[in-house]
Amino acid sequence: MKIAVTAANGNLGAAIVKELKTQIGAENVIAIARTPKKAEFLGVEVRKGDYDSYTDFESALKGVDKILVVSGMDTPKKRIQQHRNIIKAAEANSLNKIVYTSIVGNTTNTAFDPIINSNRQTERDIEASKLNWAIGRNGLYIEPDLEYIEQYKTKGCIWNSAGDGKCAYTSREELANAYVQMLLNDSIKYNVYNLAATPITQQELANEINKTYSTKLTYKQLSSEEYLEERKAELGNFIGTVVSGIYDGINNGSFNVASDYEKVMNRKHKLVSELIKDFKNK
């Protein structure tokens, strides 16, 4: 059985490839990357796959049985067609199964809505395909917050526009475990799963970071306008607007979702406290 992973050189793709190698052996894993050289470190066969090119994927998926599609990082309008290129190529090669990494969240009139909507469109495209399928909706990654700890320590707080809204977090390692199970377990199909921990507030996140890192962080709420301008100044207009939209969405309840992780893994998702400890101990 040959399983391909797209965007395999990215953080999530690489984590999934690593877990697949453990489960089925490197010889049965194919990494697909826009620039193959960047995926050579994975220690598996690498094939070229640019999301903009149906031809790339029609060739890359020859002899493949199943594919894990990591959601693209382009603008929402472009990524819908990019994902369709992969779905069409998977159908042309008669793959047995397609698994897609979507995202949790509901549209709540924020700047993040277009990304959620583009993911939902790809979900519909996959459901309408001729393939067996399973879809995971990722919680928000915990890693960016933990990589930002020094900045939090400098200010003595976590600051954003999330307010008292609850957010379902996850980690790339927990996601990799779930997606490999979704690929290998043929009884997991024709369903959508929220892959995340129990939702928590930003103050609860600060409390958990304090326990593990011996910090004294508090939570400071900014207005949507304040946080948007600050994120744009640091990250640029596009990314800054997207990030600001995420935290507005948390405030509006978009990411306060029930987890389906146990349905996939037969165990509960790790608590946020465990995710933080895992990150620190790496």
Side-chain angles (χ1 to χ4, degrees):
M1 177 172 61
K2 298 283 187 180
I3 297 179
V5 178
T6 74
N9 57 304
N11 289 325
L12 179 57
I16 294 168
V17 168
K18 179 181 177 181
E19 182 62 20
L20 275 173
K21 287 169 63 178
T22 299
Q23 296 288 334
I24 63 173
E27 69 276 11
N28 294 310
V29 183
I30 296 170
I32 299 179
R34 182 172 58 184
T35 307
K37 188 175 181 63
K38 293 183 178 180
E40 290 176 354
F41 72 94
L42 294 167
V44 299
E45 180 184 351
V46 182
R47 298 180 183 177
K48 178 175 173 54
D50 187 321
Y51 278 36
D52 286 317
S53 173
Y54 164 78
T55 302
D56 273 7
F57 277 92
E58 197 280 329
S59 176
L61 296 184
K62 291 189 182 303
V64 170
D65 297 291
K66 300 177 181 180
I67 184 171
L68 185 288
V69 180
V70 176
S71 182
M73 295 297 292
D74 217 320
T75 59
K77 288 184 179 180
K78 288 189 68 175
R79 72 172 66 179
I80 291 172
Q81 182 56 51
Q82 290 171 340
H83 295 155
R84 286 174 176 167
N85 289 337
I86 303 172
I87 297 166
K88 181 181 176 184
E91 289 180 314
N93 280 280
S94 301
L95 267 64
N96 293 332
K97 191 174 189 179
I98 184 169
V99 177
Y100 174 59
T101 74
S102 189
I103 189 168
V104 302
N106 301 305
T107 55
T108 56
N109 195 30
T110 74
F112 197 63
D113 285 4
I115 292 176
I116 293 175
N117 289 334
S118 71
N119 276 273
R120 298 295 174 267
Q121 182 58 58
T122 293
E123 291 178 17
R124 291 191 290 271
D125 290 341
I126 288 172
E127 291 167 10
S129 74
K130 302 173 183 177
L131 306 165
N132 293 324
W133 58 268
I135 294 168
R137 289 181 178 174
N138 301 348
L140 294 192
Y141 295 147
I142 192 72
E143 288 91 346
D145 273 293
L146 303 180
E147 291 163 355
Y148 214 71
I149 281 180
E150 290 305 314
Q151 287 92 328
Y152 290 157
K153 287 166 65 176
T154 297
K155 286 200 173 185
C157 64
I158 294 174
W159 69 96
N160 54 52
S161 58
D164 294 327
K166 290 191 173 184
C167 178
Y169 285 99
T170 188
S171 71
R172 295 183 183 102
E173 184 176 346
E174 281 288 84
L175 290 175
N177 291 332
Y179 282 118
V180 169
Q181 183 67 13
M182 290 166 70
L183 286 163
L184 299 182
N185 187 341
D186 289 333
S187 68
I188 298 177
K189 60 182 179 180
Y190 306 138
N191 215 334
V192 180
Y193 303 91
N194 291 332
L195 304 177
T198 301
I200 64 171
T201 66
Q202 296 298 290
Q203 183 59 62
E204 289 171 326
L205 174 62
N207 294 344
E208 294 299 343
I209 290 175
N210 289 339
K211 291 175 186 177
T212 299
Y213 282 87
S214 299
T215 49
K216 296 181 180 179
L217 302 178
T218 59
Y219 171 64
K220 179 181 180 181
Q221 182 178 3
L222 301 182
S223 70
S224 296
E225 294 76 17
E226 288 176 310
Y227 193 57
L228 172 61
E229 290 309 309
E230 195 218 49
R231 291 297 85 197
K232 286 167 63 175
E234 180 172 339
L235 303 172
N237 285 348
F238 176 67
I239 298 298
T241 299
V242 168
V243 171
S244 176
I246 290 172
Y247 287 94
D248 288 344
I250 294 174
N251 193 26
N252 294 340
S254 178
F255 301 105
N256 186 5
V257 300
S259 177
D260 299 311
Y261 196 85
E262 192 169 3
K263 296 177 183 178
V264 174
M265 291 297 296
N266 292 317
R267 69 167 174 84
K268 293 184 182 299
H269 191 287
K270 288 184 178 181
L271 299 172
V272 169
S273 59
E274 296 175 287
L275 301 182
I276 295 170
K277 290 174 184 176
D278 287 347
F279 181 90
K280 185 183 179 186
N281 293 332
K282 282 184 180 179

